[in-house]
Amino acid sequence: MILSALIFILVAGGMLAWMANRWYPGSAKWVALATVGIELVLTIWLWLQFASAMALPAHGGWFAETRAEWIPRFGVSFHLAMDETSLILVMLTAFLGMVSVACSWTEIQERAGFFYFNLLWTLAGAIGVFLALDLFLFFFFWELMLVPMYFLIAIWGHENRRYASIKFFIFAEGSGLFMLVAILALVFVHYRSTGVLTFDYFELLNTAMSPSTGLWIMLGFFIAFAVKTPIVPLHVWLPDAHTEAPTAGSVILAGVLLKTGAYGLLRFVVPLFPDAALQFAPVAIALGATGVLYGAFLAFAQTDLKRLVAYTSVSHLGFVVLGIFAWNPWSLGGAVMQMIAHGISTGALFVIAGILQDRTHTRDMRRFEGLWSVMPRLAAMGLFFAIATLGLPGMGNFVGEFLILMGLYRVNSVLASVAAVAFVASVVYALALVQKTFHGENKHDWQLPDLSGREMATLYSMAAITLWLGLYPQPVLDAAPDIASRPPAIAVADREGNAE
Amino acid sequence: MNPPPSALHPDFMALSPLILLSGSAIVVMLAAAFCRHPRPVMMLTLAGLVLSFASLFLPQGIGSRQITALLILDTYALFFIGLIFAATFVVAVLCYRYFGGSESRHEALYILLLLAALGGGILVASSHFASFLLGLELLSISLFALIAYPRFTERPLEAGIKYLILAGFSSGLLLFGMALVYAQLGTMQFAKIGTMLAAPHQALELYGLAGLALIVSGVAFKLALVPFHMWTPDIYEGAPAPITAFIATVSKGAMLALLLRYFLMAGAHQSQPITFALSLVAVTTILVGNLLALLQDNVKRILAYSSIAQLGYLLVGFLAFGAMAAEAVAYYLAAYFVTMLGAFGVVAVLSRGVPEQDSGSLADYAGLFWHRPWLAGVFTAMLLSLAGIPLTMGFIGKFYVLAAAISASLWLPVIVLVVGSAISLYYYLRIIAAMFSSDSNADHGKEISPPVPASLAESITLAALTGLLIGLGIYPALLVPSLETMAVQVAGLAEHSTLAYVSWNGK
Amino acid sequence: MLSLLWLIPTLPLAGFLVLALGGKYLGHRSIAVIGTSSTALSALIAILIGMDFIAAPPPGFVFRQEAWSWIAVAGFSPGIGFYLDALSLVMVLVVTLISFLIHLYSTEFMSGDEDYARFFAYMNLFVGSMCILILADNLLFLYLGWEGVGLCSYLLIGFWYRDPANGRAARKAFIVTRIGDTAMAIGLFLLFTHLGTLDIQPLMQCAGQQWPEGEGLAILTAALLLAGAAGKSAQLPLQTWLPDAMAGPTPVSALMHAATMVTAGVYLIARTHVLFTLAPVVQHAVAVIGALTLLLAGFSALVQTDIKRVLAYSTISQIGYMFLALGVGAWSAAIFHLVTHAFFKALLFLSAGVVIMSLHEEHNIFRMGALRKKLPIVFWTFLIGSASLAALPLVTAGFYSKDLILWRAWSSAGGNPWLWAAGWGGAILTGLYIFRVVFLVFFGEARTAMPPGTARPGLRITLPLIVLAAFSLVGGWIETPPFLGNLTLFSSFVQHALPPAQAVHGEKNDETILELLAIAASLGGIALAYLLFLRYPAFLQGMMLIPAFARIREFWQSGWGFDRFYEFLFVRPYLWLAHADRRDVIDNIYKMALSCMLRWLQKVDPHDVINTIYNGLAGLCLFLHRALSATQSGQVRRYAAAIATGSIGILFIGIFA
Amino acid sequence: MRTVEAIAAIPMHHGLVLAAILFALGMIGILARRNLVFILMSIEIMLNAAGLAFVVAGARWEQADGQVMLIFILAVAAAEVSVGLALLLLLYRRFQTLDADAVSKMRG
């Protein structure tokens, strides 16, 4: 019940925001804020609730479940369930929802009602993705969240928004269809072997299939998630979409939507196809490592601030892919950690980029320079999050990256070492960002107001969370899938055997 | 001797929808002759349609019923007849103000509309070459006149002529094909032809095969499958928007329903050449339709190409054969009806006031969302449905088709379908992006004629369509069980298993 | 008392938080008070703890304290925990004490700076991180401190952010050290993967039990840790960042780039000495690297003109001595030199800072001179520091520590005459280059007029100088060679944490001879400096006219060309590639098919299709679109023809398929 | 009886070939002629060819069905032609031409 509420509050809030703005212009943001506020409070309440429930043994990992018949013809049910991984991602979504409402507060003046409608619906879709345990329902939400996101980019985006939004939509939807095909194939394979037509995650978990079938079906899933995550050859939509989206859009894209891809890998690809995933893991790991380095490298090359941050996402999510396909407790803990930490730190960088764009009307770093003396608070926050991005210990990203690579080292020490080169590459781009934007002489004579109270509250809270994640990451690490309790885990022992 | 109504001949009961519709056509004709005012005529038309639609539910208890050799009225046929009548109802509502409302004299239009619907109904129910021919021609000839109804304007006229020639040509092909098949097999009943073709020892001679091929060509023309698709954009663009909706839905849907029934019956999937030809056609149709729409600037033409592609998707579901295919096609067709009616409905509502040409160009839609949000919202929903985005019937339809195709392991068409859908996103998004673009200064200069508000009837109709689109998109279970029984019934004639999805056992 | 251990890093960190968040609202005075008192308190606590530790040693000479469990995943459970033993106690005492003195110095030195609060915030952050580095009880927490000091180094080198050159130096420092850090991180992965823990003590035990001497994994790990240490301590081949790091304010150079942070590498190797003992190859490499570095840096220091760069190269060189000591297994000698070096090098930097300040940011020693009279206190302190650096016999701390290293380089199991010779040569160089500075700056004639009205350094500057000078003189008397009383207070204390060095080559007599040689070296170096730079300066000027010498000088001055080499090998290609690939080559690949298509299309269609073509696949689609659109001619007969063709096609399929 | 036999004596193939030739003629007419009136006539020829084929087939199976179909076809053709001619009249009024290729305003 509570799970459906999580989704429907946002859906209803979105509609209400739209309506309200027609009657009382300017009220949409308050409605939106209230909605995400309720959402956040609810998730925190859930978390506290479950944190105490965790103390009790034998929970099977699932906290809450909602199940209702939907399309009995196909064995499709409205099946939501929440375990720690979903919970933590839902919390992230709610928090970033709050952030994105806050950062749109003054940025969005035109058509605010429709804007918040889209924003909240995107969040609703994302939460649906994190909670759905019916493959049909999952796909439903998966596709659903793209539409409002498309509108966010296409209507409130920057100069090149049409190109970016269409590219985003075609990549995401097109790959989604491959996943649909794969879902159906899996369902029918299951049907053939058991005679039960169902889309239920648990039922499909132990589907027997031939190795080649498994590989093909898994690839269908993988493509969809690889586009969203993104994994390197399929990342090209991301820089455009992130760059052109309005601030809130960028925050949600980077913080939440990319996570849905990683979540998909974590929840579906590996558990549903353990053998195929094992077979495919070297390729995925190689792709992930490529992504880590390539993203870091390209981030350095950018002159557009938002584009730089966008490429850092490619790099960071590459780590997540590594963590997932290494599939051992350390790397998985790291992957979940990295997802959360990346959501916060990159989100914050986008907020900063948005503030800069709002005040200077440019994102070109060659035109900034020397902003430290103009807006020291903003610059300090920029420095802070740049450092978080480069993975300094004490911040969340470090915990994630370190654990991922440590886990990966067990599986593939060479690629782990190669990926570790990103530690250096990330310093290069993060410091380039700081140097080009904040340091140096204020040659362009910027006269800009520093952070307002609202912006400070947003950024400070994000900074506090980043530090908290870095120094006391345990709650998030506990949220990683407990591979011992999940049936089709890739045996770590096997891998160890291979590694040596 | 006045037999009480209950003692009416059951055939008569079963035929009541068609009879009522013919009756109302005559009544409308008489009314139009005496009362030269469109409003009552339209009312009568709508009443007739409602009555006929209501009578659909009468013979339900009787079940499958063969009425002479010519017609079969089972749930399958009734479902599609109902669909056709409903679509005609919507078209009639859209026509009224489109053609000038009470000021203009367009009463005759409704006669033609009713006749065309009747033709469609007969087509769906036909089980014999003769009824097939009659239904088809009733539909086609009414359409010639309907398309060219604004007869003093250029484009409708051109479209009418083109359709006339090409439809005549394809009728010729169809009829000649029928004659050849008849010459080979000695029967004109579909059911018998089907069983004869399905019989393993039956080998057709050359002219029999040629006959079948010609029939397929004739049907493919109506369905606008590649390479018989070329008329579609021109006719869609030229015809008045509501009539375009009618062509896109009724004329295609009726033919497809018929085709599906007899393909199932003939067990055509066992024939390698037919499956091969169909897959080829489906694949090319999807690709060609989507590619043609890519950079098109005329919304009606985009929708035309899109409808070509949609038929390609349908054909993929079709290829799966069996009950699942019937179900998938039926659902997809219903979704397609709703969507196309909605989309062309929006075009029709926007078009009034522009006499020569419907508001087709993409520029007419720029910023639509900001001055007519509801209309643009409906259009967006329709386009998203065509693109197969969740929350809409189009999504469930595509899901259904994919499910059917995958359950039959039709990998190539499935992949093409996916690729085609990805391509199609581009042009749907172009329209949507245009509607949401905020070039407010651009359309200030354009507002020569203030937009005509949609009439109440139109608004209700569009709202109802949207409601249906989303309602059945979210909760398809409302429709699915009836489709399921229907499909099992029609497919059960060929294969006597209740769960005859596919022939995977053979794999 | 020991339980207050956690306060040592926490106090400066708290100071950092206060200054970072509230610095805007505080006056100079309160900033100074907060900044300095936090380090003063932590120094005080360190001293108290030290006294307690010595007076009532905890069991096993080890005290542990865990604040909370940091990460706990499947057996990987590093905590936020502190570990105090003899080694870390020595380190933490030195660090907090020097930090306090330098903070005190800075309150006056930096008083004119607009970013006063920021400076102290960073400095406090540094002290906190450094203490974490030292006190961490597991390698991951140590790594946190390790990276933290790297960050502070970056922040403080680039403190004056308006000048892009400072930013460049700061980034260079961070990136180069990060290269070493990455290697170290990989080392940590390896350690955990094979030994199952990162807690230092269990880890060392485990390694000792599981790995035989010379085990491949041990060699690999030790090599990776060595890379980390070399990066942080500016040893070959990662030494290039330190001279540039002098772009930061002088107190920063004194604190981080001389006394404390750069010696972290030495500390790391000492901390993980078990691994190095298990990997004799690597340990030998440590010695060789140390020897090479001390020579190379010594030569470079000889020709620098910037006073701070001289000191920077000197630092590299002195850390080379420490590495040499570590490499030969003289752990306590290395740490001893670390301690004395911290005092005299901090002293030298601080004194140099006053000189530079007095001459209004003049760094070039050739434009100084005759400052002996004008800055008497600074003269004396600088002289004491130099003497200690040059290991002036008997009276200076540097003499005792360097001497010990030279002896160990000869006598230890890992030592050999070559290493000794390198150290000995380095000793001559040390005396030569540092007294070159002394003579050029404080003697001779004034080459830059000291601007009138330059305030004499106040008490907050002079006090730290005096204290440090005192330590530079007397600090060595806790460990003396056999013929000078044979005190072993230091080494016997440190032996609780580090194994003692064993002399295997050489007799007692040798030691005396070698001592005498070392004394000769340091005196010789000083004398040579006197001759060359004060007495007969013309000689060198004449030499420089010879192109070969000039070129050598240039070569040395540029740090043996490492910078240029790396520039060509790494930096340029990276920049070039980055520039070339700014538009993302993968995106371009998708657009590839497009380019030829495009040309063709432009012939067909004069409109600007580029705007509408999105990528290569889209190009293909567009091409097909055009081709197909051409078939939609609008002519009804063509349509009919298509239908006819289609039906014939179907006929053929029907017949032949 | 004689007449029936006489007709039945004609091999069915002959009739079908004749119908096919007629059909092909009609088809070629549609494809080759530009005048819309001729095109309409060609359609008529095709339909009639189909009618002939039906009659021939009916003869083969000795059923009246073929002839029934012919009558249907005639009726349909007549309806079609009447609508067609009406449209042609309007077209001529509007375009002043009956050239099929000229009627191609819509394309693309």
Side-chain angles (χ1 to χ4, degrees), chain B residues 236 247-250 252-253 303-304 306-308 310-311 314 330-342 385-386 393-394:
Chain B
Y236 278 33
I247 304 171
T249 54
V250 172
K252 281 189 179 178
L303 288 173
S306 151
S307 87
I308 294 175
Q310 299 287 330
L311 260 289
L314 264 170
Y331 190 93
Y332 201 100
L333 214 53
Y336 172 80
F337 266 56
V338 172
T339 314
M340 274 295 169
L341 286 174
S385 171
L386 286 173
M393 283 180 88

mmCIF file of all heavy atoms in Angstrom, chain B residues 236 247-250 252-253 303-304 306-308 310-311 314 330-342 385-386 393-394:
data_model
loop_
_atom_site.group_PDB
_atom_site.id
_atom_site.type_symbol
_atom_site.label_atom_id
_atom_site.label_comp_id
_atom_site.label_asym_id
_atom_site.label_seq_id
_atom_site.Cartn_x
_atom_site.Cartn_y
_atom_site.Cartn_z
ATOM 1 N N TYR B 236 -4.952 10.395 -48.350
ATOM 2 C CA TYR B 236 -5.117 10.912 -46.993
ATOM 3 C C TYR B 236 -4.993 12.428 -46.975
ATOM 4 O O TYR B 236 -5.683 13.111 -46.237
ATOM 5 C CB TYR B 236 -4.050 10.313 -46.062
ATOM 6 C CG TYR B 236 -4.361 8.945 -45.540
ATOM 7 C CD1 TYR B 236 -5.063 8.041 -46.313
ATOM 8 C CD2 TYR B 236 -3.944 8.543 -44.274
ATOM 9 C CE1 TYR B 236 -5.336 6.772 -45.842
ATOM 10 C CE2 TYR B 236 -4.221 7.278 -43.803
ATOM 11 C CZ TYR B 236 -4.903 6.392 -44.585
ATOM 12 O OH TYR B 236 -5.169 5.138 -44.116
ATOM 13 N N ILE B 247 -11.265 6.269 -43.873
ATOM 14 C CA ILE B 247 -10.482 5.371 -44.734
ATOM 15 C C ILE B 247 -9.449 4.623 -43.897
ATOM 16 O O ILE B 247 -9.258 3.420 -44.030
ATOM 17 C CB ILE B 247 -9.740 6.159 -45.836
ATOM 18 C CG1 ILE B 247 -10.722 6.980 -46.649
ATOM 19 C CG2 ILE B 247 -8.969 5.225 -46.741
ATOM 20 C CD1 ILE B 247 -10.044 7.939 -47.587
ATOM 21 N N ALA B 248 -8.769 5.413 -43.031
ATOM 22 C CA ALA B 248 -7.681 4.815 -42.271
ATOM 23 C C ALA B 248 -8.194 3.699 -41.377
ATOM 24 O O ALA B 248 -7.497 2.711 -41.157
ATOM 25 C CB ALA B 248 -6.990 5.880 -41.434
ATOM 26 N N THR B 249 -9.404 3.879 -40.862
ATOM 27 C CA THR B 249 -9.876 2.890 -39.905
ATOM 28 C C THR B 249 -10.775 1.850 -40.548
ATOM 29 O O THR B 249 -10.384 0.694 -40.705
ATOM 30 C CB THR B 249 -10.611 3.594 -38.760
ATOM 31 O OG1 THR B 249 -11.623 4.428 -39.316
ATOM 32 C CG2 THR B 249 -9.673 4.423 -37.943
ATOM 33 N N VAL B 250 -11.966 2.280 -40.955
ATOM 34 C CA VAL B 250 -12.981 1.316 -41.365
ATOM 35 C C VAL B 250 -12.518 0.497 -42.555
ATOM 36 O O VAL B 250 -12.556 -0.735 -42.549
ATOM 37 C CB VAL B 250 -14.298 2.043 -41.688
ATOM 38 C CG1 VAL B 250 -15.294 1.089 -42.295
ATOM 39 C CG2 VAL B 250 -14.838 2.667 -40.428
ATOM 40 N N LYS B 252 -9.605 -0.076 -43.858
ATOM 41 C CA LYS B 252 -8.486 -0.992 -43.626
ATOM 42 C C LYS B 252 -8.859 -2.088 -42.638
ATOM 43 O O LYS B 252 -8.534 -3.263 -42.837
ATOM 44 C CB LYS B 252 -7.292 -0.220 -43.060
ATOM 45 C CG LYS B 252 -6.528 0.518 -44.100
ATOM 46 C CD LYS B 252 -5.246 1.064 -43.521
ATOM 47 C CE LYS B 252 -4.476 1.778 -44.595
ATOM 48 N NZ LYS B 252 -3.239 2.358 -44.072
ATOM 49 N N GLY B 253 -9.537 -1.664 -41.578
ATOM 50 C CA GLY B 253 -9.841 -2.613 -40.500
ATOM 51 C C GLY B 253 -10.718 -3.744 -40.984
ATOM 52 O O GLY B 253 -10.473 -4.920 -40.661
ATOM 53 N N LEU B 303 0.720 11.048 -40.948
ATOM 54 C CA LEU B 303 -0.190 10.051 -40.396
ATOM 55 C C LEU B 303 -0.451 8.945 -41.405
ATOM 56 O O LEU B 303 -0.616 7.779 -41.041
ATOM 57 C CB LEU B 303 -1.495 10.719 -39.964
ATOM 58 C CG LEU B 303 -1.378 11.575 -38.714
ATOM 59 C CD1 LEU B 303 -2.658 12.338 -38.458
ATOM 60 C CD2 LEU B 303 -1.041 10.715 -37.513
ATOM 61 N N ALA B 304 -0.486 9.316 -42.677
ATOM 62 C CA ALA B 304 -0.694 8.307 -43.705
ATOM 63 C C ALA B 304 0.454 7.303 -43.704
ATOM 64 O O ALA B 304 0.236 6.084 -43.664
ATOM 65 C CB ALA B 304 -0.802 8.977 -45.073
ATOM 66 N N SER B 306 2.492 6.805 -41.359
ATOM 67 C CA SER B 306 2.458 6.102 -40.083
ATOM 68 C C SER B 306 1.458 4.969 -40.126
ATOM 69 O O SER B 306 1.700 3.874 -39.626
ATOM 70 C CB SER B 306 2.113 7.114 -38.999
ATOM 71 O OG SER B 306 1.444 6.488 -37.961
ATOM 72 N N SER B 307 0.318 5.221 -40.775
ATOM 73 C CA SER B 307 -0.676 4.148 -40.823
ATOM 74 C C SER B 307 -0.170 2.991 -41.674
ATOM 75 O O SER B 307 -0.490 1.834 -41.400
ATOM 76 C CB SER B 307 -2.003 4.678 -41.327
ATOM 77 O OG SER B 307 -2.040 4.640 -42.723
ATOM 78 N N ILE B 308 0.634 3.298 -42.674
ATOM 79 C CA ILE B 308 1.242 2.204 -43.440
ATOM 80 C C ILE B 308 2.094 1.345 -42.506
ATOM 81 O O ILE B 308 1.976 0.116 -42.467
ATOM 82 C CB ILE B 308 2.119 2.763 -44.585
ATOM 83 C CG1 ILE B 308 1.235 3.472 -45.604
ATOM 84 C CG2 ILE B 308 2.912 1.657 -45.249
ATOM 85 C CD1 ILE B 308 2.011 4.162 -46.696
ATOM 86 N N GLN B 310 1.927 1.138 -39.317
ATOM 87 C CA GLN B 310 1.105 0.447 -38.326
ATOM 88 C C GLN B 310 0.556 -0.856 -38.896
ATOM 89 O O GLN B 310 0.503 -1.877 -38.213
ATOM 90 C CB GLN B 310 -0.070 1.326 -37.891
ATOM 91 C CG GLN B 310 0.320 2.638 -37.247
ATOM 92 C CD GLN B 310 0.873 2.460 -35.867
ATOM 93 O OE1 GLN B 310 0.511 1.538 -35.167
ATOM 94 N NE2 GLN B 310 1.782 3.324 -35.468
ATOM 95 N N LEU B 311 0.163 -0.799 -40.153
ATOM 96 C CA LEU B 311 -0.331 -2.030 -40.767
ATOM 97 C C LEU B 311 0.767 -3.070 -40.848
ATOM 98 O O LEU B 311 0.525 -4.267 -40.708
ATOM 99 C CB LEU B 311 -0.878 -1.709 -42.163
ATOM 100 C CG LEU B 311 -2.389 -1.586 -42.269
ATOM 101 C CD1 LEU B 311 -3.013 -2.962 -42.116
ATOM 102 C CD2 LEU B 311 -2.987 -0.677 -41.213
ATOM 103 N N LEU B 314 0.887 -4.650 -37.574
ATOM 104 C CA LEU B 314 -0.233 -5.571 -37.448
ATOM 105 C C LEU B 314 0.062 -6.882 -38.151
ATOM 106 O O LEU B 314 -0.249 -7.959 -37.671
ATOM 107 C CB LEU B 314 -1.466 -4.936 -38.080
ATOM 108 C CG LEU B 314 -2.379 -4.221 -37.119
ATOM 109 C CD1 LEU B 314 -3.415 -3.437 -37.868
ATOM 110 C CD2 LEU B 314 -3.061 -5.247 -36.241
ATOM 111 N N ALA B 330 -6.695 -8.126 -33.081
ATOM 112 C CA ALA B 330 -7.936 -7.468 -32.696
ATOM 113 C C ALA B 330 -7.654 -6.309 -31.757
ATOM 114 O O ALA B 330 -8.181 -5.206 -31.936
ATOM 115 C CB ALA B 330 -8.866 -8.479 -32.031
ATOM 116 N N TYR B 331 -6.794 -6.561 -30.774
ATOM 117 C CA TYR B 331 -6.515 -5.472 -29.844
ATOM 118 C C TYR B 331 -5.809 -4.330 -30.550
ATOM 119 O O TYR B 331 -6.146 -3.167 -30.383
ATOM 120 C CB TYR B 331 -5.657 -5.953 -28.666
ATOM 121 C CG TYR B 331 -5.566 -4.903 -27.600
ATOM 122 C CD1 TYR B 331 -6.463 -4.903 -26.547
ATOM 123 C CD2 TYR B 331 -4.656 -3.861 -27.682
ATOM 124 C CE1 TYR B 331 -6.447 -3.911 -25.601
ATOM 125 C CE2 TYR B 331 -4.629 -2.856 -26.750
ATOM 126 C CZ TYR B 331 -5.524 -2.887 -25.703
ATOM 127 O OH TYR B 331 -5.513 -1.892 -24.774
ATOM 128 N N TYR B 332 -4.827 -4.700 -31.340
ATOM 129 C CA TYR B 332 -4.066 -3.647 -32.018
ATOM 130 C C TYR B 332 -4.981 -2.838 -32.912
ATOM 131 O O TYR B 332 -4.879 -1.622 -33.010
ATOM 132 C CB TYR B 332 -2.927 -4.255 -32.835
ATOM 133 C CG TYR B 332 -1.838 -3.265 -33.130
ATOM 134 C CD1 TYR B 332 -0.686 -3.254 -32.381
ATOM 135 C CD2 TYR B 332 -1.976 -2.323 -34.141
ATOM 136 C CE1 TYR B 332 0.301 -2.326 -32.617
ATOM 137 C CE2 TYR B 332 -0.994 -1.386 -34.374
ATOM 138 C CZ TYR B 332 0.145 -1.396 -33.614
ATOM 139 O OH TYR B 332 1.128 -0.466 -33.845
ATOM 140 N N LEU B 333 -5.876 -3.553 -33.566
ATOM 141 C CA LEU B 333 -6.784 -2.870 -34.465
ATOM 142 C C LEU B 333 -7.675 -1.908 -33.685
ATOM 143 O O LEU B 333 -7.917 -0.779 -34.123
ATOM 144 C CB LEU B 333 -7.637 -3.903 -35.211
ATOM 145 C CG LEU B 333 -8.011 -3.544 -36.623
ATOM 146 C CD1 LEU B 333 -6.789 -3.192 -37.433
ATOM 147 C CD2 LEU B 333 -8.717 -4.711 -37.272
ATOM 148 N N ALA B 334 -8.151 -2.356 -32.543
ATOM 149 C CA ALA B 334 -8.976 -1.468 -31.728
ATOM 150 C C ALA B 334 -8.172 -0.238 -31.334
ATOM 151 O O ALA B 334 -8.639 0.907 -31.449
ATOM 152 C CB ALA B 334 -9.450 -2.210 -30.481
ATOM 153 N N ALA B 335 -6.930 -0.473 -30.905
ATOM 154 C CA ALA B 335 -6.077 0.650 -30.525
ATOM 155 C C ALA B 335 -5.862 1.574 -31.705
ATOM 156 O O ALA B 335 -5.920 2.803 -31.583
ATOM 157 C CB ALA B 335 -4.746 0.121 -30.014
ATOM 158 N N TYR B 336 -5.654 0.940 -32.841
ATOM 159 C CA TYR B 336 -5.380 1.711 -34.048
ATOM 160 C C TYR B 336 -6.600 2.548 -34.426
ATOM 161 O O TYR B 336 -6.485 3.714 -34.804
ATOM 162 C CB TYR B 336 -5.010 0.714 -35.144
ATOM 163 C CG TYR B 336 -4.874 1.285 -36.513
ATOM 164 C CD1 TYR B 336 -3.714 1.945 -36.893
ATOM 165 C CD2 TYR B 336 -5.893 1.150 -37.441
ATOM 166 C CE1 TYR B 336 -3.590 2.456 -38.164
ATOM 167 C CE2 TYR B 336 -5.778 1.645 -38.708
ATOM 168 C CZ TYR B 336 -4.625 2.318 -39.073
ATOM 169 O OH TYR B 336 -4.507 2.823 -40.319
ATOM 170 N N PHE B 337 -7.776 1.960 -34.280
ATOM 171 C CA PHE B 337 -9.008 2.708 -34.562
ATOM 172 C C PHE B 337 -9.085 3.941 -33.673
ATOM 173 O O PHE B 337 -9.271 5.054 -34.137
ATOM 174 C CB PHE B 337 -10.232 1.810 -34.305
ATOM 175 C CG PHE B 337 -10.730 1.095 -35.537
ATOM 176 C CD1 PHE B 337 -9.881 0.303 -36.268
ATOM 177 C CD2 PHE B 337 -12.048 1.226 -35.950
ATOM 178 C CE1 PHE B 337 -10.328 -0.355 -37.399
ATOM 179 C CE2 PHE B 337 -12.501 0.581 -37.077
ATOM 180 C CZ PHE B 337 -11.650 -0.215 -37.801
ATOM 181 N N VAL B 338 -8.955 3.698 -32.392
ATOM 182 C CA VAL B 338 -9.093 4.808 -31.447
ATOM 183 C C VAL B 338 -8.077 5.891 -31.759
ATOM 184 O O VAL B 338 -8.382 7.081 -31.834
ATOM 185 C CB VAL B 338 -8.911 4.296 -30.008
ATOM 186 C CG1 VAL B 338 -8.854 5.458 -29.040
ATOM 187 C CG2 VAL B 338 -10.034 3.361 -29.646
ATOM 188 N N THR B 339 -6.841 5.444 -31.991
ATOM 189 C CA THR B 339 -5.768 6.411 -32.174
ATOM 190 C C THR B 339 -5.949 7.216 -33.451
ATOM 191 O O THR B 339 -5.842 8.441 -33.456
ATOM 192 C CB THR B 339 -4.425 5.673 -32.220
ATOM 193 O OG1 THR B 339 -4.395 4.741 -31.157
ATOM 194 C CG2 THR B 339 -3.303 6.624 -32.080
ATOM 195 N N MET B 340 -6.215 6.504 -34.537
ATOM 196 C CA MET B 340 -6.332 7.207 -35.807
ATOM 197 C C MET B 340 -7.531 8.146 -35.799
ATOM 198 O O MET B 340 -7.465 9.269 -36.289
ATOM 199 C CB MET B 340 -6.486 6.185 -36.947
ATOM 200 C CG MET B 340 -5.158 5.685 -37.449
ATOM 201 S SD MET B 340 -4.251 7.032 -38.209
ATOM 202 C CE MET B 340 -2.653 6.309 -38.399
ATOM 203 N N LEU B 341 -8.640 7.678 -35.216
ATOM 204 C CA LEU B 341 -9.809 8.550 -35.138
ATOM 205 C C LEU B 341 -9.474 9.788 -34.328
ATOM 206 O O LEU B 341 -9.823 10.908 -34.710
ATOM 207 C CB LEU B 341 -10.983 7.805 -34.496
ATOM 208 C CG LEU B 341 -11.644 6.757 -35.391
ATOM 209 C CD1 LEU B 341 -12.681 5.980 -34.597
ATOM 210 C CD2 LEU B 341 -12.311 7.430 -36.579
ATOM 211 N N GLY B 342 -8.783 9.580 -33.230
ATOM 212 C CA GLY B 342 -8.419 10.718 -32.402
ATOM 213 C C GLY B 342 -7.500 11.670 -33.146
ATOM 214 O O GLY B 342 -7.714 12.888 -33.152
ATOM 215 N N SER B 385 0.564 7.144 -28.529
ATOM 216 C CA SER B 385 -0.013 5.815 -28.694
ATOM 217 C C SER B 385 0.501 5.174 -29.974
ATOM 218 O O SER B 385 0.860 4.001 -30.007
ATOM 219 C CB SER B 385 -1.527 5.921 -28.710
ATOM 220 O OG SER B 385 -2.091 4.701 -29.063
ATOM 221 N N LEU B 386 0.541 5.967 -31.031
ATOM 222 C CA LEU B 386 1.093 5.422 -32.273
ATOM 223 C C LEU B 386 2.534 4.998 -32.077
ATOM 224 O O LEU B 386 2.992 4.007 -32.648
ATOM 225 C CB LEU B 386 1.025 6.479 -33.385
ATOM 226 C CG LEU B 386 -0.360 6.739 -33.966
ATOM 227 C CD1 LEU B 386 -0.316 7.906 -34.928
ATOM 228 C CD2 LEU B 386 -0.865 5.499 -34.678
ATOM 229 N N MET B 393 -3.247 2.833 -25.392
ATOM 230 C CA MET B 393 -3.589 1.556 -25.994
ATOM 231 C C MET B 393 -2.516 1.104 -26.972
ATOM 232 O O MET B 393 -2.291 -0.079 -27.172
ATOM 233 C CB MET B 393 -4.909 1.683 -26.739
ATOM 234 C CG MET B 393 -6.117 1.684 -25.851
ATOM 235 S SD MET B 393 -7.616 1.827 -26.840
ATOM 236 C CE MET B 393 -7.954 0.112 -27.192
ATOM 237 N N GLY B 394 -1.883 2.080 -27.610
ATOM 238 C CA GLY B 394 -0.865 1.725 -28.588
ATOM 239 C C GLY B 394 0.233 0.884 -27.969
ATOM 240 O O GLY B 394 0.763 -0.038 -28.590
#
